[in-house]
């Protein structure tokens, strides 16, 4: 443990101060009228402040221990302090003389409170912000002031002590940060519930021993004589109790959260696996394993239709006899002859298709995932089976379909790579990247009654990793993301393809923008090389409430047109690109902003290829000012988002003479039906989980 030279002196100063105060207390005792008590009370107050600052500093410079180890330290320190205090006993309220055992017990209590406070600080500071650090520092100031107020001869009215207690208590409330609870598994939560309950029992027993103590600075029967102890002990007790309640109330949804984490991990694993230079058969095998595991299917098989072998089939918990029976009964060839409109085929009850279910053949529902490449040639078909009807909920189907889409992109990438090996390296890189980027961009946008969306995407000679996507979460909410991977070439395009599935999964979860950026940054840190980062804008529209909440991660600012005032402006925002900081400190650089929406307002989202478009005659950039001017003019002139987009693109092509030196992506979103009357409809029909 290494701390600064100044702070390393705090502990010996605290020990010496307490020793002086204890010696004076043994010599003088506590006088009936309190005269002269400051001689021993002042050194002890200094000791409490030094121990508080020392342990707080140690917590700040030490690595955060494992959370199970942290709660075990709390329990052990509390048990040791309680047992020693119980063994020596505490002097009564009217005691005036003490022995050395009493004073050691008091010293252990002072150390225990300071140490417990430092351990809880490490929990409070998980995903900390600048505001939480400031609040903690203010709280420590009040605690230190409370230690000085414990000197009874200070000529201050009781009102001042009461005000200090009240102010310190008010500052305590915002420090009740429990973000670490969400990261625990259900087993860990049960362990923490038992541990915190045990700690509260020990803490309560210890405080009860000191309640009517003859030491004013450890007694809790008169809070105004022990301001320091009440503030520290009160915070430790309150935080532990609130944590216990949070753990208990989060138990019912723990399994759901763990399933979501497992799905996200699967996305990350499959994205990373698909980005490796593996064969197509290995991609299909990996996809089959992931789909079977995460769908919790009872049986399954993978049919590799593109294989040169006549029958290349892999079975999971399915005999060849039962496979032949299902193949003879079900029209599988007709169902998978061409790509399904939704990408999958779902048979909710196989009995309707003639399958007789029994104990030997417990097959009641089937999900079919045909895999076609870009040339519409079938590569494989995955068949997943469950033993009960309607076995695959819509969320699980969408997850499996997302896996399939990831595999399709990976297979197409590898096919493109194999076909371009004969070409020059530069031409090969351009072809692969262009293809991957085309696959990234959505061919159509979800239909909405509240907005129009028009898009434009143009690859350049030196391709990059531009990307945008939209997800209609429900009838009233729309999530939009637009980003750009650092660098150029096929590697940048591949990296954005790698992140597409992860972004889609997070968008479906309807996360608040700041949480989306934090979780996306964690995924980028695991999936991309350290020299890569992604600039990103994430927008969450709530048409019912007429609000836009967005976070900007180092990407180009959003251009906004206010129809009522007929003026356009940039929504700047603050934020850092994904992957630049790859630890919890990234949360300090994420901010979400909310903007009011109105009918006929227009938003313009774009990548840097637009504003950095160059004029051939003098090399001047297209620039933000010209974009703003052209955008405002188009919004005043045209009613449709498509026409506004066309006006911007036409002006850009005129400016650059049709030459693009960087990828250019553009989204124009026009709001068409924002009314306050939707709010009541939403409040009566929307799930509470989505509201909060």
């Amino acid at each position: 443990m290494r701390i600064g030279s100044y702070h390393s002196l705090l502990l010996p100063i605290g020990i010496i101060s307490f020793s002086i105060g204890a010696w004076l207390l043994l010599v003088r005792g506590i006088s009936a009228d309190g005269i002269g008590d400051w001689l021993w009370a002042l050194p002890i107050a200094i000791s409490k402040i030094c121990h508080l600052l020392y342990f707080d500093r140690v917590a700040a410079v030490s690595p955060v221990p494992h959370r199970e180890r942290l709660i075990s330290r709390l329990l052990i320190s509390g048990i040791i302090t309680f047992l020693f205090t119980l063994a020596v006993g505490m002097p009564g309220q009217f005691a005036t003389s003490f022995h050395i055992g009493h004073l050691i017990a008091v010293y252990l209590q002072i150390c225990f409170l300071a140490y417990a406070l430092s351990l809880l600080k490490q929990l409070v500071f998980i995903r900390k912000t600048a505001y939480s650090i400031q609040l903690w520092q203010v709280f420590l100031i009040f605690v230190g002031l409370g230690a000085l107020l414990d000197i009874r001869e200070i000529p201050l009215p009781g009102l001042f002590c009461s005000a200090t207690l009240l102010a310190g208590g008010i500052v305590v409330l915002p420090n009740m940060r429990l973000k670490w609870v969400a990261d625990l598994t259900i087993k860990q939560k049960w362990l923490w519930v038992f541990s915190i309950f045990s700690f509260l029992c020990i803490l309560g027993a210890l405080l009860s021993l000191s309640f009517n103590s003859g030491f004013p600075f450890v007694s809790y029967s008169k809070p105004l004589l022990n301001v320091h102890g009440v503030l520290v002990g009160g915070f430790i007790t309150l935080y532990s109790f609130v944590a216990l309640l949070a753990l208990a109330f989060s138990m019912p949804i723990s399994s759901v959260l763990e399933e979501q984490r497992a799905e996200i991990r699967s996305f990350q694993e499959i994205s990373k696996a698909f980005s490796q230079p593996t064969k197509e058969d290995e991609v299909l095998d990996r996809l089959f394993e992931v789909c079977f595991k995460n769908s919790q299917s009872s049986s399954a098989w993978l049919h590799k239709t593109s294989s040169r072998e006549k029958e290349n089939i892999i079975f999971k918990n399915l005999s060849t006899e039962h496979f032949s029976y299902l193949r003879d009964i079900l029209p599988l060839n007709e169902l998978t002859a061409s790509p399904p409109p939704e990408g999958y085929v779902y048979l909710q009850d196989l009995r309707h298709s003639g399958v007789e279910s029994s104990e030997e053949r417990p097959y009641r529902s089937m999900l079919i995932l045909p895999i076609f490449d870009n040339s519409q040639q079938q590569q494989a078909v995955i068949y997943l089976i469950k033993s009960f009807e309607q076995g695959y909920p819509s969320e699980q189907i969408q997850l499996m379909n997302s896996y399939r889409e990831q595999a399709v992109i990976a297979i197409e990438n590898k096919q493109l790579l194999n076909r371009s090996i004969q070409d020059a390296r530069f031409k090969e890189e351009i072809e692969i990247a262009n293809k991957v980027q085309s696959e990234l961009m959505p061919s159509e946008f979800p239909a909405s009654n509240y907005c129009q969306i028009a898009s434009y995407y143009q690859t350049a000679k030196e391709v990059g990793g531009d990307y945008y996507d939209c997800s209609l979460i429900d009838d009233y909410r729309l999530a939009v993301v637009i980003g750009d991977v650092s660098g150029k070439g096929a590697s940048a395009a591949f990296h954005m393809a790698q992140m597409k599935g992860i972004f889609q999964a997070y968008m479906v979860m309807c996360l608040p923008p700041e949480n989306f950026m934090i979780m996306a940054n964690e995924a980028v840190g695991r999936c991309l090389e350290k020299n890569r980062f992604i600039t990103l804008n994430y927008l969450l529209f709530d048409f019912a409430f007429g609000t836009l909440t967005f976070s900007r991660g180092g990407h180009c600012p959003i251009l906004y047109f206010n129809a009522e005032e007929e003026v356009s402006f940039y929504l700047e925002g603050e934020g850092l690109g994904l992957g630049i900081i790859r630890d919890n400190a990234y949360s300090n650089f994420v901010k979400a902003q909310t903007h009011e929406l109105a009918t006929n307002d227009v938003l313009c989202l774009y990548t840097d290829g637009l504003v950095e478009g160059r004029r051939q005659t003098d090399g001047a950039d297209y620039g933000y000012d010209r974009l703003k001017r052209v955008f405002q003019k188009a919004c005043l002139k045209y009613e449709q988002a498509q026409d506004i987009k066309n006006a911007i693109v036409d002006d850009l092509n005129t400016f650059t003479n049709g030459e693009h030196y960087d990828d250019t992506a553009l989204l124009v979103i026009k709001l068409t039906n924002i009314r306050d009357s939707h709010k009541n409809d939403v409040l009566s029909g929307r799930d509470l989980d989505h509201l909060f």
Side-chain angles (χ1 to χ4, degrees), residues 242 402 567:
V242 173
S402 296
V567 63

Side-chain angles (χ1 to χ4, degrees), residues 533-550:
F533 64 91
I534 298 176
T535 64
L536 197 75
N537 279 342
Y538 177 71
L539 300 86
L540 186 60
F541 292 87
D542 194 324
F543 299 119
F545 291 90
T547 59
L548 163 67
T549 306
F550 69 96

Side-chain angles (χ1 to χ4, degrees), residues 374-610:
N374 193 47
S375 61
Q376 303 302 309
Q377 181 180 356
Q378 189 181 89
Q379 300 294 313
V381 183
I382 295 176
Y383 301 88
L384 304 172
I385 305 174
K386 285 192 177 181
S387 58
F388 48 92
E389 66 276 2
Q390 298 180 355
Y392 296 93
S394 59
E395 297 83 2
Q396 199 171 70
I397 293 175
Q398 293 300 326
L399 181 64
M400 298 301 109
N401 198 37
S402 296
Y403 291 153
R404 180 194 63 81
E405 291 177 351
Q406 286 286 93
V408 168
I409 293 176
I411 291 173
E412 291 177 359
N413 292 344
K414 296 177 195 324
Q415 291 176 344
L416 287 170
L417 182 61
N418 292 333
R419 287 197 296 265
S420 60
I421 261 183
Q422 301 175 358
D423 300 334
R425 182 176 180 179
F426 179 77
K427 181 179 179 181
E428 172 190 14
E429 184 174 306
I430 298 301
E431 289 179 358
I432 298 171
N434 281 334
K435 187 62 181 177
V436 172
Q437 285 184 301
S438 298
E439 295 292 340
L440 282 175
M441 304 304 175
S443 56
E444 59 182 16
F445 297 99
S448 174
N449 297 325
Y450 306 102
C451 69
Q452 303 172 8
I453 304 178
S455 66
Y456 170 80
Y457 177 68
Q458 178 63 51
T459 59
K461 294 180 180 180
E462 295 183 2
V463 294
D466 289 5
Y467 168 73
Y468 59 80
D469 204 354
C470 299
S471 177
L472 190 62
I473 299 168
D474 55 30
D475 293 340
Y476 298 97
R477 287 180 293 182
L478 175 71
V480 180
V481 63
I482 184 168
D484 187 4
V485 174
S486 63
K488 298 182 181 298
S491 60
F494 274 132
H495 286 313
M496 189 54 82
Q498 184 179 357
M499 301 305 301
K500 174 184 177 181
I502 296 174
F503 288 160
Q504 287 181 334
Y506 290 166
M507 291 168 70
V508 171
M509 292 169 65
C510 191
L511 297 168
E514 60 269 34
N515 291 359
F516 177 95
M517 300 295 285
I518 292 172
M519 295 178 70
N521 185 67
E522 294 176 354
V524 168
R526 285 188 288 266
C527 297
L528 269 62
E529 297 93 339
K530 291 184 178 180
N531 61 341
R532 294 284 187 179
F533 64 91
I534 298 176
T535 64
L536 197 75
N537 279 342
Y538 177 71
L539 300 86
L540 186 60
F541 292 87
D542 194 324
F543 299 119
F545 291 90
T547 59
L548 163 67
T549 306
F550 69 96
S551 283
R552 180 186 174 201
H555 198 69
C556 302
I558 302 167
L559 184 53
Y560 193 94
F561 174 76
N562 187 305
E564 182 179 357
E565 300 178 5
E566 297 185 349
V567 63
S568 59
F569 49 88
Y570 286 101
L571 301 177
E572 296 286 350
E574 297 180 5
L576 201 61
L578 306 180
I580 297 177
I581 297 178
R582 303 194 175 196
D583 53 32
N584 292 336
Y586 181 79
S587 60
N588 298 329
F589 299 91
V590 178
K591 291 186 179 180
Q593 298 189 37
T594 301
H595 188 78
E596 296 291 331
L597 304 175
T599 300
N600 293 327
D601 287 359
V602 188
L603 290 88
C604 178
L605 313 178
Y606 53 96
T607 58
D608 56 5
L610 193 153

Side-chain angles (χ1 to χ4, degrees), residues 32 74 77 86 173 200-201 217 221 238 249 271 281 286 300 307 312 333 381 486 500 504 526 539 600 627 687:
L74 273 175
S77 61
L86 183 65
L173 297 179
L200 283 173
C201 292
F217 48 85
S221 60
L238 181 61
F249 284 112
S271 297
D281 280 354
R286 178 62 178 164
S307 175
N312 190 351
N333 291 333
V381 183
S486 63
K500 174 184 177 181
Q504 287 181 334
R526 285 188 288 266
L539 300 86
N600 293 327
L627 173 61
D687 192 301

Side-chain angles (χ1 to χ4, degrees), residues 117-398:
L117 187 67
S118 68
L119 292 178
L120 294 183
K121 172 192 175 181
Q122 294 181 314
L123 293 177
V124 172
F125 274 21
I126 290 178
R127 299 178 188 172
K128 62 185 176 182
T129 63
Y131 179 65
S132 63
I133 296 174
Q134 293 172 357
L135 281 176
W136 187 263
Q137 292 172 345
V138 173
F139 174 65
L140 290 182
I141 291 174
F142 280 112
V143 172
L145 180 61
L148 295 176
L149 293 177
D150 293 344
I151 303 174
R152 293 193 295 175
E153 289 191 351
I154 293 181
L156 291 174
L159 181 62
F160 189 81
C161 296
S162 301
T164 303
L165 277 175
L166 179 61
I170 293 174
V171 175
V172 160
L173 297 179
N175 279 309
M176 297 287 120
R177 303 177 75 253
L178 300 165
K179 294 188 177 182
W180 53 274
V181 173
D183 299 331
L184 301 178
T185 64
I186 190 167
K187 291 182 180 179
Q188 291 173 327
K189 287 181 179 179
W190 278 114
L191 175 62
W192 272 82
V193 166
F194 174 77
S195 301
I196 292 180
F197 180 78
S198 302
F199 175 72
L200 283 173
C201 292
I202 295 171
L203 182 64
L206 180 62
L207 296 181
S208 65
L209 288 177
S210 304
F211 188 81
N212 286 310
S213 171
F215 296 107
F217 48 85
V218 297
S219 173
Y220 294 90
S221 60
K222 296 181 180 180
L224 298 185
L225 297 181
N226 188 15
V227 178
H228 170 272
V230 171
L231 285 176
V232 178
F235 174 81
I236 295 173
T237 304
L238 181 61
Y239 187 86
S240 302
F241 182 72
V242 173
L244 184 64
L245 292 180
L247 289 165
F249 284 112
S250 65
M251 287 289 185
I253 62 172
S254 294
S255 59
V256 177
L257 294 176
E258 289 186 23
E259 288 178 4
Q260 290 180 346
R261 292 194 192 101
E263 293 172 359
I264 293 172
R265 284 194 297 269
S266 298
F267 262 116
Q268 295 171 351
E269 292 173 2
I270 201 170
S271 297
K272 193 169 185 177
F274 288 167
S275 66
Q276 303 299 322
T278 55
K279 298 179 180 179
E280 293 180 20
D281 280 354
E282 294 176 357
V283 173
L284 294 173
D285 292 343
R286 178 62 178 164
L287 175 66
F288 181 51
E289 292 289 339
V290 171
C291 289
F292 178 72
K293 176 183 177 182
N294 290 312
S295 65
Q296 301 175 348
S297 299
S298 57
S299 305
W301 78 86
L302 167 65
H303 186 191
K304 299 179 182 179
T305 55
S306 63
S307 175
R308 295 180 180 179
E309 302 177 15
K310 185 176 181 181
E311 291 286 344
N312 190 351
I313 303 176
I314 302 175
F315 298 102
K316 289 282 190 183
N317 301 335
L318 185 70
S319 65
T320 55
E321 178 185 355
H322 291 176
F323 163 71
S324 300
Y325 170 77
L326 292 173
R327 187 172 59 178
D328 294 339
I329 295 294
L330 299 172
L332 300 180
N333 291 333
E334 291 82 354
L335 292 173
T336 60
S338 59
E342 296 179 343
Y344 60 88
V345 178
Y346 181 31
L347 304 178
Q348 300 186 40
D349 194 339
L350 294 180
R351 292 177 298 182
H352 297 162
S353 301
V355 176
E356 297 181 0
S357 180
S358 63
E359 292 185 2
E360 296 182 355
R361 294 194 298 263
Y363 311 129
R364 298 290 290 273
S365 57
M366 177 181 289
L367 179 62
I368 305 174
L369 300 170
I371 301 170
F372 291 84
D373 60 17
N374 193 47
S375 61
Q376 303 302 309
Q377 181 180 356
Q378 189 181 89
Q379 300 294 313
V381 183
I382 295 176
Y383 301 88
L384 304 172
I385 305 174
K386 285 192 177 181
S387 58
F388 48 92
E389 66 276 2
Q390 298 180 355
Y392 296 93
S394 59
E395 297 83 2
Q396 199 171 70
I397 293 175
Q398 293 300 326

